[in-house]
Amino acid sequence: MRKPRDYDAELKALGDKARQLKARRTSQLGELVVATGADALTSEELAGALIAIAATAEPAKREAWRKRGAAFFSGERALEPEQHRPGAGSEPRRPAAEPGGHEPARSEQGTT
């Protein structure tokens, strides 16, 4: 004779797995925000940007964003210079020009 299935236990196990997956997804999204430098934005700015992106149906824009995302995940980090946040790049940030228009001398430390 067959053993009857415990549907309640199976449903509970599926519910537990769904909660774990949701928690992992939430954690990964948070890690992505930090890795991209978007943690420097306010919550309102980040939410507004995400809403605008989600509402965009222009295939060209979406493809450009997809390519930049793929480059990010492959390690290329294809960001335009104006989008680098301080200290985020592989090169040290250069100090601003001194009064009089002269740039400060570069030290050998930190150059490659």
Side-chain angles (χ1 to χ4, degrees), residues 4-45:
R5 289 178 69 173
D6 187 356
Y7 291 108
D8 290 334
E10 289 179 27
L11 282 173
K12 184 180 182 309
L14 285 173
D16 290 344
K17 183 164 182 142
R19 277 188 291 282
Q20 288 174 344
L21 289 172
K22 186 175 181 179
R24 187 174 79 191
R25 182 175 184 224
T26 302
S27 175
Q28 288 173 337
L29 285 171
E31 291 170 5
L32 183 60
V33 167
V34 172
T36 59
D39 60 329
L41 301 173
T42 65
S43 298
E44 292 83 7
E45 291 170 327

Side-chain angles (χ1 to χ4, degrees), residues 46-65:
L46 183 58
L50 291 172
I51 290 167
I53 290 168
T56 299
E58 295 177 43
K61 279 188 178 180
R62 294 182 73 90
E63 179 61 17
W65 292 332

